[in-house]
Amino acid sequence: MKNYLLLSILCLAGILMSCTQKHTRYRIGVSQCSDDEWRHKMNNEIVREALFYDGVEVEIRTAKDNNRNQIADIKYFIDKKVDLLIVAPNEAAAITPVVEKAYRQGIPVVVIDRKILSDKYTAFVGADNYEIGKDVGQYILNRLHGKGKVLEITGLEGSTPAMERHKGLTDVLKEEPGIEITASVDGAWLQSVAGEKMDSVFQTNKNIDLVFAQNDRMAIGAYLSARQQQLEKEMLFVGIDALPGKEYGVEQIINGVLDATFIYPTGGDKVVQVAMDILEKRPYERDTKLSTALVDKTNARVMQLQTDHITEQDGKIERLNNQVNEYLSRYSAQTMFLYACLIILLLFAALLAIIVRAYWTKNRMNMELSRQKKKLEEQRDQLISLSKQLEKATHAKLVFFTNVSHDFRTPLTLVADPVEQLLEDKALTPRQQSLLKVVHKNVHILLRLVNQILDFRKYENDKLELVRANMNLRMQLQEWSHSFQTLALKKHIHFVLEVNDDRADYLMAVDAEKMERVYFNLLSNAFKFTPENGTITVTLSTLTKEEGGRYARLVVADTGSGISVQHIRHIFDRFYQIDVNHAGSGIGLALAKAFVELHGGEITVDSVEGKGTVFTVDIPMTLVEEPSADLVQEPRITQQTVVEELEDMETEEQIPDENKECILIIDDNADVRDYVKSLLKEEYTVIEAPDGRAGLKKAMKYVPDAIICDVMMPVMDGLECCRKLKTELQTSHIPVMLLTACSLDEQRIQGFECGADSYISKPFNSKLLLVRLRNLMDNHKRLKQFFGDKTSLSKESVSDVDKGFVDRFRELIEENLADSELSVEDLGGKMGLSRVQLYRKIKALTNYSPNELVRIARLKKAASLLASSEKTISEITYEVGFTSPSYFTKCYKEYFGESPTDFLKRRG
């Protein structure tokens, strides 16, 4: 309901905003060349005319007689993507390229007043400047009666009105020899510039009958300059524009400053009309000529009265427009207020509906809760009953488990002692001693697990007691840590014990045996899950807690695989294991936590998956009186036994012998690896790896002939390892035998789906393992026929990866057959393999070394050339890549049983 209410509010707000927004249909950009009264009048006409069209937005920019400014203005309008561009060019040559650019980009261009030097525009609106020039010439002829001297002041050089007006004037006056244009100067359309040019002319020639300026401003500037010379009454002044208003052209005629002027219409309203015809796809004239007329003393007064009246009407129109805008604003505000009231009413109605619905829902839920409460009470009673039954069953199981554990100790003791006696027998063979050491080691592991179970049972029954004694914890940690140094060296782990304050007194009352087991449990886990070249740091420090008393803090930090958030909350639960790939009973950390809590301490864990784990143990630093008599303790497993369990790292790697088949054993249990190795080492070269990731690296490095891999391992399990082995180019051909303690068909199916070639369940018979491995490798040898006999390929189970590999190798040999310097390293580099990897894989697939295959290919090519060409033996020798004919002859005879010369003789 809340979502529906929010959606309704958003919809109404959108409607309100859409009703108040003004829609723009067309955007028109106006680029004016100058900023003068004539342009102002045109701009006002453009803006006023645009008001008559709905949704037209006009933006005017003025260049102030600067070409660069006008080019920038036009580019601005192009970038803004206006719908139509109106341009009054400052100078035709400079402005033409940018106008053409706008036209090419599809923007309609209306050129006003002045033209450009191109026809790349949509329409032109303005007076005919050539005709105005002719009209002025005709007026001068009539006014001077065909005889006199004329000074012409032109507009800005390069602007088309200046050029066209000058041409029209000269075309008329050249027909009358009595009229002479004494000078033509550039006044740049400005009054001040025209005055300066007039002063310059007076310095050389004061005999002028008439001054013609191409606009009224320049004519007034010339008049003021003549007045300073007291020559204003000796000459006439004629201009163009005839603008109404104070001190403009019409008023200056009335005041006697100008003799005449010609109307040059602004036509702003006409410009907008043509623009709208273009935008709305109506017919329009490409060239719109505006009319002109003479203004002199005979009609100047009438014209001024008319323009004053028009100006008054324009003011009224402007005031009416402002009033209309004000009314529209009021209407908009009232409309918004009305919509706001409607929204408030709708919201109130929706809120009322929600309240009513909530009331009904509350009543219905109360009834439902009443029924659920009764059901929950019944279920609670059932759970209490089930909990009691489960507690009794758990207690019975634990009692049985404890009793069985007690029964285990006697046979384990009877096994351990005879094994120790047998180990002292000097007549044993090395193999017998190795097997007995495996038995001895695993007996102690079982005995330690049994003791852990018994201790945990005592803890649950509150019968586990502490035997406290004053002990220097720092010295004990140094002694216990010493046992792990050898293991750290074997695993290439940086192991360090740090004491933050060497001067601190770490003498405290603890149960040494239980603290030792806590410490070794934490370190054993750290070494088990920390990879090679990792770091394990043990830190000892003191701290004072708020509840009082000093504590010793022991921190064990590693850079191992870490524990996920999902599992870390259960890490101290009894019998909890992270997953099937992490071996262990799940009781070690639970027992460590129990021992720490018996000391009144606390143990916590912090871990980041993939970065490492940190265990923190806080133990109160208290002292007790030393006991007067020795305490008798149960036999326990020594620290050395725990360390021995972790020393499962591989010994110095044996480089595979090329004359013996190589087997890779991947298993996280060192005893299993040692046992399997003892079975295979007489017949095979054996290499080892403690997990799937390490095994994958060694398989790619050494390319063994077969791989025996356990399924459940840390870091990378056997299924994932097998999948990666079968997809890598270097290892895809190697047969893989999986070992598993699980006999379920589902797991076997997963193994075969990953590409496994065989499966053996634990515990396995040694003879079965050897026979299965031998058969697997014998069957795999059929792939070695592949290179020499392509026809058998379709009948053999060769993977697509291996087919592509051998095809690529054959192509490389054929491409480089003539290269006598071709080496295994060169071929390996082109195949993306090292020399050893290439040798092992080619040997496994073809039963030949790469060098042998290259030599055979060269000999076969040479035989083909001998049989099909007329080349000499020497020519063929070098063509197939042999370095000398004698060596070629020797190799040819060994492979084909006859020399090349014998073959040629036999061929005839």
Side-chain angles (χ1 to χ4, degrees):
M1 178 62 73
K2 291 182 179 179
N3 292 335
Y4 293 144
L5 179 59
L6 179 60
L7 182 61
S8 301
I9 294 173
L10 292 175
C11 291
L12 290 172
I15 294 172
L16 179 60
M17 292 180 64
S18 65
C19 291
T20 58
Q21 289 179 346
K22 184 178 179 181
H23 177 63
T24 300
R25 295 168 55 219
Y26 302 113
R27 290 172 298 174
I28 298 177
V30 180
S31 175
Q32 288 285 14
C33 58
S34 302
D35 186 16
D36 54 47
E37 61 277 2
W38 193 86
R39 301 288 168 186
H40 291 170
K41 186 172 184 297
M42 175 185 283
N43 292 343
N44 291 334
E45 292 172 350
I46 290 173
V47 173
R48 185 167 56 247
E49 184 69 18
L51 295 175
F52 293 99
Y53 298 94
D54 183 42
V56 176
E57 177 184 325
V58 177
E59 182 178 357
I60 301 175
R61 298 174 74 92
T62 301
K64 297 183 179 181
D65 302 306
N66 186 291
N67 291 330
R68 291 184 179 178
N69 291 346
Q70 187 162 35
I71 291 171
D73 290 343
I74 296 174
K75 289 182 178 179
Y76 164 80
F77 287 128
I78 293 174
D79 295 339
K80 198 173 179 180
K81 300 186 185 326
V82 295
D83 298 292
L84 184 137
L85 181 62
I86 298 173
V87 180
N90 188 51
E91 291 186 15
I95 305 303
T96 296
V98 71
V99 173
E100 290 180 338
K101 178 181 178 182
Y103 184 80
R104 286 195 300 270
Q105 292 191 12
I107 300 176
V109 179
V110 177
V111 179
I112 59 174
D113 177 27
R114 306 176 182 183
K115 294 183 178 180
I116 61 174
L117 303 181
S118 169
D119 60 351
K120 297 294 190 299
Y121 59 86
T122 308
F124 171 79
V125 178
D128 191 334
N129 285 289
Y130 176 76
E131 290 297 328
I132 290 177
K134 290 177 65 176
D135 291 344
V136 171
Q138 193 63 46
Y139 174 79
I140 291 173
L141 289 177
N142 297 334
R143 192 74 174 84
L144 296 180
H145 306 291
K147 184 178 181 180
K149 295 183 178 181
V150 177
L151 170 66
E152 182 186 20
I153 302 177
T154 66
L156 182 67
E157 183 180 2
S159 63
T160 56
M163 293 185 292
E164 291 176 355
R165 291 175 186 180
H166 173 74
K167 186 174 187 332
L169 175 69
T170 55
D171 285 350
V172 172
L173 296 183
K174 69 182 180 181
E175 301 295 334
E176 189 65 40
I179 302 296
E180 176 188 358
I181 299 177
T182 60
S184 182
V185 296
D186 184 357
W189 304 111
L190 299 176
Q191 179 175 317
S192 58
V193 176
E196 293 173 358
K197 294 296 179 72
M198 194 70 180
D199 292 340
S200 299
V201 172
F202 282 150
Q203 292 178 2
T204 58
N205 185 8
K206 296 183 179 180
N207 187 20
I208 298 173
D209 297 308
L210 185 143
V211 177
F212 165 56
Q214 291 190 353
N215 69 4
D216 291 342
R217 283 186 298 170
M218 294 189 296
I220 294 170
Y223 174 83
L224 294 176
S225 176
R227 191 170 65 180
Q228 289 179 354
Q229 301 288 332
Q230 297 181 354
L231 298 173
E232 74 277 9
K233 295 182 179 180
E234 298 180 8
M235 56 189 70
L236 301 175
F237 296 90
V238 178
I240 294 176
D241 278 347
L243 286 177
K246 186 174 179 58
E247 297 183 357
Y248 293 158
V250 175
E251 185 178 89
Q252 297 297 350
I253 292 176
I254 296 172
N255 294 336
V257 174
L258 300 182
D259 185 66
T261 182
F262 286 80
I263 295 175
Y264 188 64
T266 52
D269 51 351
K270 188 62 177 178
V271 171
V272 175
Q273 293 170 11
V274 172
M276 293 308 299
D277 288 340
I278 294 171
L279 290 173
E280 295 182 349
K281 312 299 183 184
R282 293 193 294 266
Y284 65 92
E285 292 185 6
R286 191 167 189 268
D287 286 325
T288 302
K289 302 295 184 179
L290 302 178
S291 301
T292 184
L294 171 67
V295 178
D296 55 14
K297 292 182 180 180
T298 61
N299 59 359
R301 178 67 63 180
V302 175
M303 185 174 179
Q304 186 179 36
L305 292 174
Q306 292 177 344
T307 54
D308 289 344
H309 181 70
I310 292 173
T311 302
E312 182 182 355
Q313 295 299 321
D314 288 344
K316 291 181 180 180
I317 292 173
E318 186 69 23
R319 288 194 296 274
L320 287 173
N321 182 60
N322 292 335
Q323 290 180 357
V324 170
N325 290 336
E326 183 180 353
Y327 293 149
L328 289 174
S329 298
R330 291 180 184 178
Y331 172 77
S332 178
Q334 292 172 354
T335 303
M336 291 181 64
F337 179 75
L338 177 61
Y339 282 126
C341 292
L342 290 175
I343 290 175
I344 293 172
L345 287 175
L346 290 174
L347 291 176
F348 180 78
L351 183 61
L352 182 62
I354 290 174
I355 293 173
V356 173
R357 182 180 177 87
Y359 177 75
W360 290 342
T361 303
K362 179 183 176 183
N363 290 337
R364 187 170 64 254
M365 290 181 66
N366 286 337
M367 296 176 62
E368 184 67 24
L369 286 174
S370 298
R371 290 194 296 269
Q372 293 293 333
K373 183 179 178 181
K374 294 180 181 180
K375 291 182 180 179
L376 289 174
E377 288 176 352
E378 294 175 358
Q379 293 176 358
R380 180 195 62 190
D381 296 338
Q382 293 176 0
L383 287 174
I384 292 173
S385 175
L386 289 173
S387 177
K388 291 179 179 179
Q389 295 176 14
L390 182 61
E391 185 178 352
K392 291 179 181 179
T394 302
H395 179 73
K397 290 179 180 179
L398 285 176
V399 170
F400 173 76
F401 201 22
T402 303
N403 293 336
V404 170
S405 299
H406 274 288
D407 293 339
F408 280 163
R409 298 184 67 184
T410 299
L412 285 174
T413 304
L414 294 176
V415 172
D417 186 63
V419 168
E420 290 177 355
Q421 294 180 26
L422 286 172
L423 283 172
E424 295 175 357
D425 188 352
K426 304 299 182 182
L428 293 175
T429 64
R431 174 175 173 77
Q432 291 172 336
Q433 282 188 341
S434 175
L435 294 174
L436 283 174
K437 285 181 181 179
V438 173
V439 175
H440 181 265
K441 181 177 176 180
N442 283 277
V443 167
H444 279 282
I445 293 173
L446 287 173
L447 187 57
R448 179 172 63 84
L449 293 175
V450 168
N451 287 337
Q452 282 187 349
I453 294 171
L454 294 176
D455 285 341
F456 195 78
R457 179 61 178 158
K458 289 179 183 178
Y459 173 74
E460 287 192 328
N461 293 332
D462 295 328
K463 293 181 180 180
L464 186 63
E465 297 180 356
L466 290 179
V467 182
R468 292 179 181 268
N470 294 332
M471 178 188 74
N472 190 316
L473 183 60
R474 180 179 63 187
M475 296 178 61
Q476 283 299 121
L477 288 179
Q478 291 173 345
E479 179 183 342
W480 294 337
S481 300
H482 182 71
S483 301
F484 287 88
Q485 294 298 333
T486 303
L487 178 60
L489 291 174
K490 286 186 177 181
K491 290 194 69 175
H492 306 291
I493 290 175
H494 181 60
F495 173 51
V496 61
L497 170 63
E498 297 177 350
V499 180
N500 286 349
D501 188 357
D502 290 336
R503 295 173 295 177
D505 183 10
Y506 286 96
L507 187 64
M508 53 193 294
V510 294
D511 187 325
E513 184 266 339
K514 292 181 175 56
M515 279 303 301
E516 178 188 22
R517 289 170 69 178
V518 170
Y519 184 60
F520 274 83
N521 188 286
L522 297 180
L523 271 188
S524 64
N525 281 326
F527 273 94
K528 185 183 298 183
F529 297 110
T530 300
E532 288 192 2
N533 301 316
T535 301
I536 297 176
T537 304
V538 178
T539 306
L540 180 62
S541 60
T542 61
L543 74 155
T544 302
K545 294 192 176 182
E546 293 180 358
E547 58 266 23
R550 294 178 66 235
Y551 282 74
R553 170 163 286 182
L554 176 66
V555 179
V556 179
D558 64 65
T559 58
S561 56
I563 307 170
S564 67
V565 178
Q566 175 187 357
H567 298 296
I568 199 168
R569 67 185 66 175
H570 304 293
I571 198 68
F572 294 114
D573 295 350
R574 62 183 182 183
F575 309 122
Y576 182 80
Q577 292 177 280
I578 292 178
D579 55 50
V580 296
N581 294 324
H582 290 79
S585 62
I587 201 173
L589 286 175
L591 194 60
K593 183 174 185 291
F595 288 163
V596 171
E597 291 176 348
L598 279 175
H599 283 84
E602 181 184 10
I603 181 170
T604 57
V605 62
D606 185 22
S607 182
V608 178
E609 194 169 5
K611 293 187 177 180
T613 304
V614 178
F615 284 92
T616 303
V617 179
D618 292 340
I619 302 293
M621 299 181 68
T622 58
L623 295 174
V624 297
E625 295 182 1
E626 293 291 343
S628 58
D630 293 335
L631 296 175
V632 178
Q633 299 181 5
E634 293 183 358
R636 62 185 178 88
I637 302 300
T638 65
Q639 60 190 32
Q640 186 61 31
T641 304
V642 179
V643 176
E644 286 176 355
E645 295 175 32
L646 297 170
E647 293 179 343
D648 56 355
M649 299 306 298
E650 60 208 68
T651 58
E652 183 177 353
E653 200 67 70
Q654 182 179 1
I655 300 176
D657 185 356
E658 294 183 356
N659 297 320
K660 294 175 67 176
E661 292 173 310
C662 178
I663 308 297
L664 170 62
I665 303 172
I666 307 175
D667 200 302
D668 60 326
N669 190 305
D671 294 334
V672 173
R673 295 202 307 271
D674 291 341
Y675 179 64
V676 176
K677 183 177 180 179
S678 67
L679 298 175
L680 302 177
K681 65 182 181 181
E682 297 296 331
E683 186 177 353
Y684 307 99
T685 298
V686 180
I687 55 178
E688 305 174 47
D691 57 68
R693 184 181 297 170
L696 182 61
K697 291 181 179 178
K698 290 190 177 181
M700 296 178 69
K701 179 179 180 181
Y702 296 112
V703 193
D705 295 286
I707 297 174
I708 299 174
C709 181
D710 189 21
V711 172
M712 292 186 293
M713 293 182 294
V715 184
M716 181 189 290
D717 61 34
L719 297 179
E720 180 65 19
C721 179
C722 182
R723 183 182 296 109
K724 291 184 178 295
L725 285 169
K726 292 300 183 179
T727 55
E728 290 292 339
L729 176 64
Q730 298 95 316
T731 59
S732 58
H733 67 285
I734 303 174
V736 178
M737 177 186 294
L738 292 179
L739 297 180
T740 179
C742 181
S743 59
L744 296 177
D745 289 340
E746 290 81 357
Q747 192 179 67
R748 291 176 177 270
I749 292 172
Q750 288 180 348
F752 287 124
E753 287 177 346
C754 292
D757 298 274
S758 183
Y759 235 114
I760 288 188
S761 300
K762 293 181 181 178
F764 55 82
N765 183 280
S766 60
K767 292 183 178 179
L768 176 62
L769 175 67
L770 292 173
V771 172
R772 185 74 62 84
L773 180 64
R774 185 72 266 165
N775 289 339
L776 185 65
M777 297 181 66
D778 288 343
N779 290 336
H780 196 70
K781 285 182 179 179
R782 61 185 178 174
L783 296 176
K784 296 179 181 180
Q785 303 173 2
F786 170 59
F787 190 87
D789 185 7
K790 269 192 170 181
T791 59
S792 63
L793 179 60
S794 60
K795 302 178 182 179
E796 303 293 342
S797 57
V798 183
S799 69
D800 292 337
V801 176
D802 291 336
K803 291 178 184 178
F805 174 82
V806 178
D807 287 341
R808 174 60 180 154
F809 186 73
R810 182 187 293 110
E811 290 173 1
L812 281 175
I813 292 177
E814 293 175 355
E815 291 171 0
N816 298 274
L817 204 60
D819 183 5
S820 61
E821 301 297 327
L822 183 64
S823 64
V824 178
E825 285 79 2
D826 295 336
L827 292 171
K830 294 178 181 179
M831 296 291 291
L833 302 175
S834 68
R835 186 189 67 81
V836 174
Q837 290 172 333
L838 181 66
Y839 178 86
R840 299 284 301 171
K841 188 168 182 73
I842 291 295
K843 187 76 172 177
L845 287 173
T846 67
N847 207 25
Y848 291 104
S849 69
N851 282 329
E852 290 174 327
L853 291 177
V854 173
R855 186 168 62 251
I856 292 172
R858 285 172 170 166
L859 290 172
K860 288 184 177 180
K861 179 66 174 178
S864 175
L865 292 173
L866 286 171
S868 61
S869 70
E870 298 300 326
K871 295 181 180 180
T872 66
I873 294 177
S874 296
E875 290 174 339
I876 294 174
T877 295
Y878 297 116
E879 183 174 341
V880 299
F882 282 94
T883 57
S884 67
S886 60
Y887 180 65
F888 166 69
T889 301
K890 176 177 175 297
C891 295
Y892 189 94
K893 187 171 183 179
E894 288 177 354
Y895 188 78
F896 291 106
E898 63 177 350
S899 66
T901 305
D902 295 337
F903 174 79
L904 292 175
K905 290 179 180 179
R906 182 166 52 84
R907 191 187 71 171

